[in-house]
Protein backbone atom coordinates (compact mmCIF):
# COMPACT_ATOMS: atom_id res chain seq x y z
CA UNK A 1 0.00 0.00 0.00
CA UNK A 2 1.09 3.56 -0.61
CA UNK A 3 2.29 5.48 2.34
CA UNK A 4 -0.35 8.26 2.15
CA UNK A 5 -2.99 5.58 2.02
CA UNK A 6 -1.71 3.98 5.22
CA UNK A 7 -1.54 7.34 6.97
CA UNK A 8 -5.08 8.05 5.85
CA UNK A 9 -6.28 4.69 7.14
CA UNK A 10 -4.64 5.09 10.50
CA UNK A 11 -6.17 8.53 10.90
CA UNK A 12 -9.57 7.10 10.12
CA UNK A 13 -9.10 4.25 12.57
CA UNK A 14 -7.96 6.59 15.32
CA UNK A 15 -10.95 8.83 14.64
CA UNK A 16 -13.35 5.91 14.73
CA UNK A 17 -11.86 4.65 18.00
CA UNK A 18 -11.93 8.02 19.68
CA UNK A 19 -15.58 8.54 18.73
CA UNK A 20 -16.49 5.15 20.20
CA UNK A 21 -14.35 5.64 23.27
CA UNK A 22 -16.49 8.42 24.71
CA UNK A 23 -20.19 7.83 24.28
CA UNK A 24 -21.46 11.07 25.78
CA UNK A 25 -25.03 12.30 25.60
CA UNK A 26 -24.10 14.67 22.78
CA UNK A 27 -23.27 11.57 20.72
CA UNK A 28 -26.65 10.19 21.65
CA UNK A 29 -28.25 13.43 20.51
CA UNK A 30 -26.54 13.07 17.12
CA UNK A 31 -27.63 9.44 16.86
CA UNK A 32 -31.19 10.19 17.85
CA UNK A 33 -31.45 13.24 15.60
CA UNK A 34 -30.14 11.23 12.65
CA UNK A 35 -33.63 9.66 12.63
CA UNK A 36 -35.37 13.01 12.55
CA UNK A 37 -35.96 14.63 9.13
CA UNK A 38 -35.09 18.10 10.52
CA UNK A 39 -31.79 16.94 11.97
CA UNK A 40 -30.30 20.39 12.54
CA UNK A 41 -33.41 21.64 14.31
CA UNK A 42 -33.48 18.50 16.47
CA UNK A 43 -29.84 18.85 17.48
CA UNK A 44 -29.86 22.53 18.27
CA UNK A 45 -33.15 22.23 20.15
CA UNK A 46 -32.04 19.32 22.32
CA UNK A 47 -28.56 20.77 22.91
CA UNK A 48 -30.03 24.08 24.03
CA UNK A 49 -31.76 22.40 26.96
CA UNK A 50 -29.72 21.43 30.04
CA UNK A 51 -32.13 18.57 30.75
CA UNK A 52 -30.69 16.77 27.69
CA UNK A 53 -27.36 16.37 29.43
CA UNK A 54 -26.82 12.74 30.36
CA UNK A 55 -30.32 11.84 29.18
CA UNK A 56 -31.04 8.51 27.50
CA UNK A 57 -33.35 8.25 24.49
CA UNK A 58 -36.48 8.23 26.65
CA UNK A 59 -35.12 11.28 28.46
CA UNK A 60 -34.52 13.08 25.16
CA UNK A 61 -38.10 12.30 24.08
CA UNK A 62 -39.28 13.78 27.38
CA UNK A 63 -37.19 16.91 26.78
CA UNK A 64 -38.68 17.34 23.28
CA UNK A 65 -42.19 16.96 24.68
CA UNK A 66 -41.48 19.41 27.50
CA UNK A 67 -40.20 21.93 24.94
CA UNK A 68 -43.31 21.42 22.81
CA UNK A 69 -45.48 21.99 25.89
CA UNK A 70 -43.74 25.23 26.84
CA UNK A 71 -43.83 26.38 23.24
CA UNK A 72 -47.59 25.76 23.04
CA UNK A 73 -48.06 27.65 26.30
CA UNK A 74 -45.94 30.49 24.95
CA UNK A 75 -47.97 30.57 21.71
CA UNK A 76 -51.23 30.62 23.66
CA UNK A 77 -49.92 33.53 25.73
CA UNK A 78 -48.79 35.36 22.58
CA UNK A 79 -52.27 34.98 21.08
CA UNK A 80 -53.81 36.19 24.34
CA UNK A 81 -51.64 39.31 24.22
CA UNK A 82 -52.60 39.94 20.59
CA UNK A 83 -56.27 39.62 21.41
CA UNK A 84 -55.83 41.84 24.42
CA UNK A 85 -54.52 44.54 22.07
CA UNK A 86 -51.22 46.33 22.36
CA UNK A 87 -48.29 43.97 22.99
CA UNK A 88 -45.82 42.43 20.58
CA UNK A 89 -45.66 45.38 18.24
CA UNK A 90 -49.27 45.22 17.17
CA UNK A 91 -50.11 48.74 15.96
CA UNK A 92 -53.20 50.13 17.61
CA UNK A 93 -55.72 48.25 19.71
CA UNK A 94 -58.29 47.33 17.08
CA UNK A 95 -57.77 44.14 15.16
CA UNK A 96 -59.23 43.44 11.76
CA UNK A 97 -62.35 41.34 12.56
CA UNK A 98 -61.17 38.48 10.34
CA UNK A 99 -57.79 38.44 12.08
CA UNK A 100 -59.46 38.63 15.47
CA UNK A 101 -61.66 35.65 14.59
CA UNK A 102 -58.64 33.64 13.41
CA UNK A 103 -56.72 34.52 16.55
CA UNK A 104 -59.57 33.51 18.79
CA UNK A 105 -59.83 30.17 16.95
CA UNK A 106 -56.06 29.74 17.37
CA UNK A 107 -56.42 30.57 21.07
CA UNK A 108 -58.84 27.63 21.47
CA UNK A 109 -56.61 25.42 19.37
CA UNK A 110 -53.55 26.18 21.47
CA UNK A 111 -55.45 25.65 24.71
CA UNK A 112 -56.24 22.18 23.34
CA UNK A 113 -52.67 21.70 22.13
CA UNK A 114 -51.27 22.48 25.59
CA UNK A 115 -53.60 19.88 27.15
CA UNK A 116 -52.79 17.31 24.50
CA UNK A 117 -49.04 17.72 24.85
CA UNK A 118 -49.43 17.48 28.62
CA UNK A 119 -51.41 14.26 28.17
CA UNK A 120 -48.60 12.96 25.97
CA UNK A 121 -46.07 13.81 28.70
CA UNK A 122 -48.13 11.80 31.19
CA UNK A 123 -48.19 8.89 28.72
CA UNK A 124 -44.42 9.18 28.23
CA UNK A 125 -43.75 9.00 31.95
CA UNK A 126 -45.87 5.84 32.06
CA UNK A 127 -43.82 4.56 29.08
CA UNK A 128 -47.03 4.28 27.10
CA UNK A 129 -45.42 5.31 23.83
CA UNK A 130 -48.25 3.96 21.69
CA UNK A 131 -50.80 5.92 23.70
CA UNK A 132 -48.70 9.05 23.43
CA UNK A 133 -48.79 9.39 19.67
CA UNK A 134 -52.47 10.30 19.13
CA UNK A 135 -52.08 13.16 21.64
CA UNK A 136 -49.08 14.61 19.85
CA UNK A 137 -50.75 14.17 16.47
CA UNK A 138 -53.85 15.96 17.74
CA UNK A 139 -51.65 18.84 18.90
CA UNK A 140 -50.02 19.03 15.46
CA UNK A 141 -53.50 19.09 13.90
CA UNK A 142 -54.40 22.04 16.14
CA UNK A 143 -51.45 24.06 14.88
CA UNK A 144 -52.43 23.11 11.33
CA UNK A 145 -56.00 24.31 11.91
CA UNK A 146 -54.67 27.58 13.26
CA UNK A 147 -52.49 28.01 10.17
CA UNK A 148 -55.30 27.01 7.83
CA UNK A 149 -57.73 29.46 9.46
CA UNK A 150 -55.35 32.31 8.73
CA UNK A 151 -54.74 31.11 5.20
CA UNK A 152 -58.45 30.92 4.42
CA UNK A 153 -59.74 33.97 6.23
CA UNK A 154 -56.92 36.42 6.69
CA UNK A 155 -54.43 35.77 3.90
CA UNK A 156 -52.70 39.11 4.34
CA UNK A 157 -51.98 38.39 7.99
CA UNK A 158 -50.95 34.80 7.52
CA UNK A 159 -47.45 35.46 8.80
CA UNK A 160 -48.81 36.39 12.21
CA UNK A 161 -48.80 32.79 13.43
CA UNK A 162 -46.93 30.94 10.67
CA UNK A 163 -43.51 30.84 12.26
CA UNK A 164 -44.92 29.88 15.65
CA UNK A 165 -47.13 27.17 14.15
CA UNK A 166 -44.18 25.84 12.22
CA UNK A 167 -41.78 25.73 15.17
CA UNK A 168 -44.42 24.08 17.37
CA UNK A 169 -45.11 21.43 14.74
CA UNK A 170 -41.38 20.79 14.38
CA UNK A 171 -41.05 20.31 18.14
CA UNK A 172 -43.96 17.85 18.12
CA UNK A 173 -42.60 16.02 15.11
CA UNK A 174 -39.14 15.79 16.70
CA UNK A 175 -40.71 14.23 19.79
CA UNK A 176 -42.69 11.75 17.68
CA UNK A 177 -39.62 10.65 15.77
CA UNK A 178 -37.64 10.09 18.95
CA UNK A 179 -40.55 8.10 20.36
CA UNK A 180 -40.47 5.94 17.22
CA UNK A 181 -36.97 4.89 18.23
CA UNK A 182 -38.26 3.85 21.64
CA UNK A 183 -41.11 1.87 20.13
CA UNK A 184 -38.76 0.10 17.70
CA UNK A 185 -36.19 -0.63 20.40
C1 LIG B 1 -41.89 28.93 20.78
O1 LIG B 1 -41.58 29.14 19.42
C2 LIG B 1 -41.68 30.50 19.01
C3 LIG B 1 -41.50 30.56 17.52
O2 LIG B 1 -40.21 30.26 17.14
C4 LIG B 1 -40.66 31.32 19.76
O3 LIG B 1 -40.80 32.67 19.39
C5 LIG B 1 -40.89 31.15 21.24
O4 LIG B 1 -39.87 31.81 21.96
C6 LIG B 1 -40.90 29.69 21.64
N1 LIG B 1 -41.24 29.62 23.05
C7 LIG B 1 -40.80 28.66 23.85
C8 LIG B 1 -41.15 28.80 25.29
O5 LIG B 1 -40.15 27.72 23.45
Amino acid sequence: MHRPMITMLSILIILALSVNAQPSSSDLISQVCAHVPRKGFCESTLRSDPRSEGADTAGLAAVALALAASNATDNAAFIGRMLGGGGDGWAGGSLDPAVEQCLSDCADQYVDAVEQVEASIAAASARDYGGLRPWVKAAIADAESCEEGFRMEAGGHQMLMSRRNKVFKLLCDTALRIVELLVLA
Side-chain angles (χ1 to χ4, degrees):
M1 238 187 276
H2 294 302
R3 222 184 148 75
M5 188 73 166
I6 292 172
T7 313
M8 185 77 141
L9 271 178
S10 20
I11 289 174
L12 281 177
I13 289 167
I14 289 166
L15 273 179
L17 288 176
S18 60
V19 166
N20 281 333
Q22 28 172 274
S24 65
S25 79
S26 65
D27 292 328
L28 184 61
I29 289 175
S30 312
Q31 284 170 31
V32 161
C33 291
H35 294 270
V36 177
R38 298 290 294 265
K39 189 166 177 283
F41 176 86
C42 173
E43 289 202 11
S44 59
T45 301
L46 291 178
R47 292 218 164 91
S48 71
D49 194 300
R51 288 170 292 188
S52 299
E53 202 156 319
D56 59 7
T57 305
L60 293 177
V63 170
L65 288 173
L67 288 170
S70 50
N71 198 258
T73 304
D74 190 49
N75 287 350
F78 171 80
I79 295 165
R81 290 196 301 275
M82 295 294 286
L83 285 170
D88 284 284
W90 188 260
S94 56
L95 291 170
D96 174 317
V99 172
E100 185 165 5
Q101 183 57 54
C102 290
L103 279 173
S104 96
D105 291 344
C106 288
D108 293 343
Q109 282 142 1
Y110 271 101
V111 166
D112 289 348
V114 169
E115 285 176 4
Q116 287 150 351
V117 177
E118 274 164 6
S120 80
I121 290 172
S125 41
R127 299 192 177 274
D128 176 12
Y129 299 119
L132 167 160
R133 282 155 124 165
W135 292 116
V136 181
K137 286 186 176 163
I140 291 175
D142 285 323
E144 278 166 356
S145 302
C146 169
E147 186 67 22
E148 184 65 6
F150 267 94
R151 198 182 65 77
M152 301 283 285
E153 310 293 340
H157 294 283
Q158 204 186 335
M159 291 312 290
L160 209 50
M161 287 302 297
S162 279
R163 191 176 61 89
R164 287 178 173 268
N165 288 333
K166 192 174 162 201
V167 170
F168 175 66
K169 285 201 304 174
L170 281 174
L171 288 168
C172 287
D173 190 57
T174 300
L176 279 182
R177 303 289 179 154
I178 300 173
V179 165
E180 266 168 26
L181 292 174
L182 294 167
V183 174
L184 293 173

